[in-house]
Amino acid sequence: METILKIENLYKNYGAVKAVKNVSLEIKKGNVYGILGPNGSGKSTTLGIVLNVVNKTSGEYSWFGGKMETHEALKKVGAIIERPNFYPYMTAEQNLKLVCKIKGTNYAKIHEKLEIVGLLDRKNSKFRTFSLGMKQRLAIASALLNDPEILILDEPTNGLDPQGIRQIRDIINLIASQGTTILLASHLLDEVEKVCSHVLILRKGEILYSGEVGGMNSKDGFFELISDNLSDLKVALEQHPAIENTSEENGKITAFTNTNLEASELNRYLASKNIFLNHLVKRKHSLEEQFLELTKNN
Ligand code: ADP
Ligand code: MG
């Protein structure tokens, strides 16, 4: 499958604030990716970097296999990272005509894109008369005008009522079903579950999970471990193929697993490395609980 965007070991510091820490992600054509995390976890910063509006501190990213310059590549990207902003006294159609002129796109696309976002019957209404949900849908139509390879959305349902949220999610699913790759940032677990095939979970700028949404669901659980030598324990855990990642807090290590690893099996493995535990508990969580667990203390 063709790679649309590859992010490798990305870091961003705003002064003393470490907003993004070692984030990597590969986006393949045709999938729907979610960046999930609570407020302040680095979602918008990550999107801003790959869209060339925020300067990275270190790390790399490349668009379309690195075959073209970022500014050329971004012509094939549709992105909505701010609140929709159009001319209030112009109609939906007039606003999109202006966007077509700027992007050098044929006006013929306007009809098709307004239809996708369910605004065809409101094309002659002035932008200022639109609800927030309609404004957001017009922004999506605008971003789609030049048939981008990928659509990037930052918190697309923020501030919308339940009906507005439902409409945006249906539109995202429709666009995805037509083959457009999507990258969406959200702090809402159920949003990511409902529309995404893949998810990157961030907490305080760090990756806590990366993989298929289904994989997150079938994740068997996590272990709580304490040993006299926590750093050796951490190293050994990270070498174990079934351990996805670890975090350390209050003298205790939490290790997340993606497979059906048994506590006794893990205990035997650690003992073989001369690591003896004072404490070992395996916990299972629902997806919702896992997410809250992953993102607590934020
Ligand atoms: P999210 O989109 O997940 O809510 P952000 O990427 O907006 O997270 O923010 C990540 C962290 O970086 C937060 O601690 C935030 O306060 C900080 N941050 C974001 N933008 C700036 C900025 N322009 N200057 C300083 N700090 C910033
Ligand atoms: Mg944000």
PDB file of all heavy atoms in Angstrom, residues 1-2 4 27-33 149-150 175-182 197-198:
ATOM      1  N   MET A   1       0.837  -1.212   0.000  1.00  0.00           N
ATOM      2  CA  MET A   1       0.000   0.000   0.000  1.00  0.00           C
ATOM      3  C   MET A   1       0.874   1.265   0.000  1.00  0.00           C
ATOM      4  O   MET A   1       1.863   1.318   0.715  1.00  0.00           O
ATOM      5  CB  MET A   1      -0.896   0.006   1.238  1.00  0.00           C
ATOM      6  CG  MET A   1      -2.353   0.200   0.887  1.00  0.00           C
ATOM      7  SD  MET A   1      -3.346   0.444   2.370  1.00  0.00           S
ATOM      8  CE  MET A   1      -2.909  -0.988   3.359  1.00  0.00           C
ATOM      9  N   GLU A   2       0.469   2.216  -0.760  1.00  0.00           N
ATOM     10  CA  GLU A   2       1.230   3.461  -0.900  1.00  0.00           C
ATOM     11  C   GLU A   2       1.271   4.252   0.419  1.00  0.00           C
ATOM     12  O   GLU A   2       0.261   4.349   1.112  1.00  0.00           O
ATOM     13  CB  GLU A   2       0.540   4.314  -1.976  1.00  0.00           C
ATOM     14  CG  GLU A   2       1.342   5.497  -2.445  1.00  0.00           C
ATOM     15  CD  GLU A   2       0.503   6.372  -3.374  1.00  0.00           C
ATOM     16  OE1 GLU A   2      -0.312   5.816  -4.147  1.00  0.00           O
ATOM     17  OE2 GLU A   2       0.655   7.597  -3.297  1.00  0.00           O
ATOM     18  N   ILE A   4       1.348   7.650   2.341  1.00  0.00           N
ATOM     19  CA  ILE A   4       0.996   9.056   2.109  1.00  0.00           C
ATOM     20  C   ILE A   4       1.897   9.958   2.949  1.00  0.00           C
ATOM     21  O   ILE A   4       2.403  10.965   2.473  1.00  0.00           O
ATOM     22  CB  ILE A   4      -0.483   9.308   2.507  1.00  0.00           C
ATOM     23  CG1 ILE A   4      -1.419   8.382   1.730  1.00  0.00           C
ATOM     24  CG2 ILE A   4      -0.847  10.777   2.350  1.00  0.00           C
ATOM     25  CD1 ILE A   4      -1.923   8.865   0.431  1.00  0.00           C
ATOM     26  N   ILE A  27       1.244   6.681   7.515  1.00  0.00           N
ATOM     27  CA  ILE A  27      -0.127   6.745   7.002  1.00  0.00           C
ATOM     28  C   ILE A  27      -0.171   6.146   5.608  1.00  0.00           C
ATOM     29  O   ILE A  27       0.512   6.607   4.700  1.00  0.00           O
ATOM     30  CB  ILE A  27      -0.619   8.196   7.035  1.00  0.00           C
ATOM     31  CG1 ILE A  27      -0.750   8.603   8.490  1.00  0.00           C
ATOM     32  CG2 ILE A  27      -1.919   8.348   6.255  1.00  0.00           C
ATOM     33  CD1 ILE A  27      -1.439   9.904   8.706  1.00  0.00           C
ATOM     34  N   LYS A  28      -0.959   5.087   5.487  1.00  0.00           N
ATOM     35  CA  LYS A  28      -1.071   4.382   4.206  1.00  0.00           C
ATOM     36  C   LYS A  28      -2.383   4.762   3.530  1.00  0.00           C
ATOM     37  O   LYS A  28      -3.395   4.983   4.186  1.00  0.00           O
ATOM     38  CB  LYS A  28      -1.062   2.870   4.456  1.00  0.00           C
ATOM     39  CG  LYS A  28       0.200   2.406   5.164  1.00  0.00           C
ATOM     40  CD  LYS A  28       1.030   1.576   4.258  1.00  0.00           C
ATOM     41  CE  LYS A  28       2.242   1.013   4.964  1.00  0.00           C
ATOM     42  NZ  LYS A  28       3.286   0.688   4.010  1.00  0.00           N
ATOM     43  N   LYS A  29      -2.319   4.775   2.225  1.00  0.00           N
ATOM     44  CA  LYS A  29      -3.463   5.180   1.409  1.00  0.00           C
ATOM     45  C   LYS A  29      -4.715   4.356   1.722  1.00  0.00           C
ATOM     46  O   LYS A  29      -4.645   3.140   1.869  1.00  0.00           O
ATOM     47  CB  LYS A  29      -3.101   4.993  -0.063  1.00  0.00           C
ATOM     48  CG  LYS A  29      -4.052   5.634  -1.046  1.00  0.00           C
ATOM     49  CD  LYS A  29      -3.523   5.427  -2.465  1.00  0.00           C
ATOM     50  CE  LYS A  29      -4.527   5.843  -3.507  1.00  0.00           C
ATOM     51  NZ  LYS A  29      -4.735   7.282  -3.551  1.00  0.00           N
ATOM     52  N   GLY A  30      -5.841   5.050   1.849  1.00  0.00           N
ATOM     53  CA  GLY A  30      -7.125   4.385   1.992  1.00  0.00           C
ATOM     54  C   GLY A  30      -7.569   4.119   3.420  1.00  0.00           C
ATOM     55  O   GLY A  30      -8.710   3.731   3.646  1.00  0.00           O
ATOM     56  N   ASN A  31      -6.698   4.328   4.386  1.00  0.00           N
ATOM     57  CA  ASN A  31      -7.080   4.105   5.785  1.00  0.00           C
ATOM     58  C   ASN A  31      -7.557   5.393   6.447  1.00  0.00           C
ATOM     59  O   ASN A  31      -7.309   6.487   5.950  1.00  0.00           O
ATOM     60  CB  ASN A  31      -5.899   3.561   6.583  1.00  0.00           C
ATOM     61  CG  ASN A  31      -5.527   2.143   6.168  1.00  0.00           C
ATOM     62  OD1 ASN A  31      -6.391   1.370   5.750  1.00  0.00           O
ATOM     63  ND2 ASN A  31      -4.266   1.810   6.273  1.00  0.00           N
ATOM     64  N   VAL A  32      -8.218   5.228   7.577  1.00  0.00           N
ATOM     65  CA  VAL A  32      -8.656   6.384   8.362  1.00  0.00           C
ATOM     66  C   VAL A  32      -7.928   6.342   9.703  1.00  0.00           C
ATOM     67  O   VAL A  32      -8.089   5.396  10.475  1.00  0.00           O
ATOM     68  CB  VAL A  32     -10.185   6.359   8.589  1.00  0.00           C
ATOM     69  CG1 VAL A  32     -10.610   7.566   9.417  1.00  0.00           C
ATOM     70  CG2 VAL A  32     -10.918   6.344   7.255  1.00  0.00           C
ATOM     71  N   TYR A  33      -7.101   7.344   9.945  1.00  0.00           N
ATOM     72  CA  TYR A  33      -6.266   7.382  11.145  1.00  0.00           C
ATOM     73  C   TYR A  33      -6.814   8.378  12.156  1.00  0.00           C
ATOM     74  O   TYR A  33      -7.208   9.485  11.783  1.00  0.00           O
ATOM     75  CB  TYR A  33      -4.833   7.792  10.784  1.00  0.00           C
ATOM     76  CG  TYR A  33      -4.139   6.755   9.942  1.00  0.00           C
ATOM     77  CD1 TYR A  33      -4.364   6.708   8.572  1.00  0.00           C
ATOM     78  CD2 TYR A  33      -3.296   5.820  10.515  1.00  0.00           C
ATOM     79  CE1 TYR A  33      -3.749   5.735   7.787  1.00  0.00           C
ATOM     80  CE2 TYR A  33      -2.686   4.845   9.744  1.00  0.00           C
ATOM     81  CZ  TYR A  33      -2.910   4.811   8.379  1.00  0.00           C
ATOM     82  OH  TYR A  33      -2.315   3.846   7.617  1.00  0.00           O
ATOM     83  N   GLU A 149      -5.528  13.866  -1.780  1.00  0.00           N
ATOM     84  CA  GLU A 149      -5.181  12.468  -1.482  1.00  0.00           C
ATOM     85  C   GLU A 149      -5.538  12.141  -0.038  1.00  0.00           C
ATOM     86  O   GLU A 149      -5.799  10.992   0.305  1.00  0.00           O
ATOM     87  CB  GLU A 149      -3.666  12.270  -1.641  1.00  0.00           C
ATOM     88  CG  GLU A 149      -3.175  12.317  -3.056  1.00  0.00           C
ATOM     89  CD  GLU A 149      -3.315  10.973  -3.736  1.00  0.00           C
ATOM     90  OE1 GLU A 149      -3.427   9.953  -3.042  1.00  0.00           O
ATOM     91  OE2 GLU A 149      -3.323  10.968  -4.974  1.00  0.00           O
ATOM     92  N   ILE A 150      -5.462  13.170   0.805  1.00  0.00           N
ATOM     93  CA  ILE A 150      -5.732  12.955   2.229  1.00  0.00           C
ATOM     94  C   ILE A 150      -6.458  14.170   2.795  1.00  0.00           C
ATOM     95  O   ILE A 150      -6.175  15.311   2.416  1.00  0.00           O
ATOM     96  CB  ILE A 150      -4.421  12.667   3.016  1.00  0.00           C
ATOM     97  CG1 ILE A 150      -4.708  12.466   4.521  1.00  0.00           C
ATOM     98  CG2 ILE A 150      -3.372  13.746   2.806  1.00  0.00           C
ATOM     99  CD1 ILE A 150      -3.509  11.985   5.337  1.00  0.00           C
ATOM    100  N   ILE A 175     -16.748   9.885   2.889  1.00  0.00           N
ATOM    101  CA  ILE A 175     -15.517  10.280   2.184  1.00  0.00           C
ATOM    102  C   ILE A 175     -14.507   9.132   2.222  1.00  0.00           C
ATOM    103  O   ILE A 175     -13.867   8.815   1.222  1.00  0.00           O
ATOM    104  CB  ILE A 175     -14.911  11.554   2.833  1.00  0.00           C
ATOM    105  CG1 ILE A 175     -15.867  12.731   2.668  1.00  0.00           C
ATOM    106  CG2 ILE A 175     -13.557  11.892   2.207  1.00  0.00           C
ATOM    107  CD1 ILE A 175     -15.539  13.910   3.580  1.00  0.00           C
ATOM    108  N   ALA A 176     -14.400   8.488   3.392  1.00  0.00           N
ATOM    109  CA  ALA A 176     -13.466   7.363   3.529  1.00  0.00           C
ATOM    110  C   ALA A 176     -13.875   6.215   2.604  1.00  0.00           C
ATOM    111  O   ALA A 176     -13.031   5.584   1.969  1.00  0.00           O
ATOM    112  CB  ALA A 176     -13.419   6.890   4.971  1.00  0.00           C
ATOM    113  N   SER A 177     -15.181   5.980   2.505  1.00  0.00           N
ATOM    114  CA  SER A 177     -15.653   4.863   1.671  1.00  0.00           C
ATOM    115  C   SER A 177     -15.374   5.127   0.195  1.00  0.00           C
ATOM    116  O   SER A 177     -15.322   4.209  -0.616  1.00  0.00           O
ATOM    117  CB  SER A 177     -17.149   4.624   1.895  1.00  0.00           C
ATOM    118  OG  SER A 177     -17.908   5.656   1.278  1.00  0.00           O
ATOM    119  N   GLN A 178     -15.176   6.405  -0.162  1.00  0.00           N
ATOM    120  CA  GLN A 178     -14.840   6.735  -1.546  1.00  0.00           C
ATOM    121  C   GLN A 178     -13.334   6.655  -1.790  1.00  0.00           C
ATOM    122  O   GLN A 178     -12.858   6.976  -2.870  1.00  0.00           O
ATOM    123  CB  GLN A 178     -15.362   8.140  -1.886  1.00  0.00           C
ATOM    124  CG  GLN A 178     -16.892   8.209  -1.865  1.00  0.00           C
ATOM    125  CD  GLN A 178     -17.436   9.621  -2.022  1.00  0.00           C
ATOM    126  OE1 GLN A 178     -16.719  10.596  -1.816  1.00  0.00           O
ATOM    127  NE2 GLN A 178     -18.703   9.730  -2.389  1.00  0.00           N
ATOM    128  N   GLY A 179     -12.592   6.252  -0.761  1.00  0.00           N
ATOM    129  CA  GLY A 179     -11.160   5.985  -0.955  1.00  0.00           C
ATOM    130  C   GLY A 179     -10.225   7.076  -0.510  1.00  0.00           C
ATOM    131  O   GLY A 179      -9.007   6.930  -0.646  1.00  0.00           O
ATOM    132  N   THR A 180     -10.760   8.191   0.017  1.00  0.00           N
ATOM    133  CA  THR A 180      -9.858   9.255   0.486  1.00  0.00           C
ATOM    134  C   THR A 180      -9.270   8.859   1.842  1.00  0.00           C
ATOM    135  O   THR A 180     -10.003   8.425   2.728  1.00  0.00           O
ATOM    136  CB  THR A 180     -10.628  10.592   0.624  1.00  0.00           C
ATOM    137  OG1 THR A 180     -11.218  10.902  -0.628  1.00  0.00           O
ATOM    138  CG2 THR A 180      -9.695  11.727   1.046  1.00  0.00           C
ATOM    139  N   THR A 181      -7.977   9.016   1.974  1.00  0.00           N
ATOM    140  CA  THR A 181      -7.301   8.758   3.240  1.00  0.00           C
ATOM    141  C   THR A 181      -7.650   9.897   4.202  1.00  0.00           C
ATOM    142  O   THR A 181      -7.759  11.045   3.776  1.00  0.00           O
ATOM    143  CB  THR A 181      -5.776   8.722   2.999  1.00  0.00           C
ATOM    144  OG1 THR A 181      -5.536   7.840   1.905  1.00  0.00           O
ATOM    145  CG2 THR A 181      -5.016   8.252   4.223  1.00  0.00           C
ATOM    146  N   ILE A 182      -7.832   9.569   5.472  1.00  0.00           N
ATOM    147  CA  ILE A 182      -8.213  10.601   6.444  1.00  0.00           C
ATOM    148  C   ILE A 182      -7.325  10.513   7.675  1.00  0.00           C
ATOM    149  O   ILE A 182      -6.976   9.421   8.137  1.00  0.00           O
ATOM    150  CB  ILE A 182      -9.705  10.452   6.822  1.00  0.00           C
ATOM    151  CG1 ILE A 182     -10.590  10.735   5.591  1.00  0.00           C
ATOM    152  CG2 ILE A 182     -10.089  11.388   7.983  1.00  0.00           C
ATOM    153  CD1 ILE A 182     -12.059  10.483   5.778  1.00  0.00           C
ATOM    154  N   SER A 197      -9.897   3.469  11.330  1.00  0.00           N
ATOM    155  CA  SER A 197      -9.406   2.096  11.241  1.00  0.00           C
ATOM    156  C   SER A 197      -8.139   1.939  12.084  1.00  0.00           C
ATOM    157  O   SER A 197      -7.853   0.863  12.593  1.00  0.00           O
ATOM    158  CB  SER A 197      -9.113   1.725   9.790  1.00  0.00           C
ATOM    159  OG  SER A 197      -8.191   2.629   9.208  1.00  0.00           O
ATOM    160  N   HIS A 198      -7.376   3.035  12.216  1.00  0.00           N
ATOM    161  CA  HIS A 198      -6.115   3.004  12.955  1.00  0.00           C
ATOM    162  C   HIS A 198      -6.077   4.159  13.952  1.00  0.00           C
ATOM    163  O   HIS A 198      -6.663   5.208  13.703  1.00  0.00           O
ATOM    164  CB  HIS A 198      -4.923   3.134  12.002  1.00  0.00           C
ATOM    165  CG  HIS A 198      -4.781   1.971  11.068  1.00  0.00           C
ATOM    166  ND1 HIS A 198      -5.645   1.771  10.007  1.00  0.00           N
ATOM    167  CD2 HIS A 198      -3.891   0.950  11.035  1.00  0.00           C
ATOM    168  CE1 HIS A 198      -5.281   0.655   9.378  1.00  0.00           C
ATOM    169  NE2 HIS A 198      -4.223   0.147   9.984  1.00  0.00           N
TER     170      HIS A 198
END
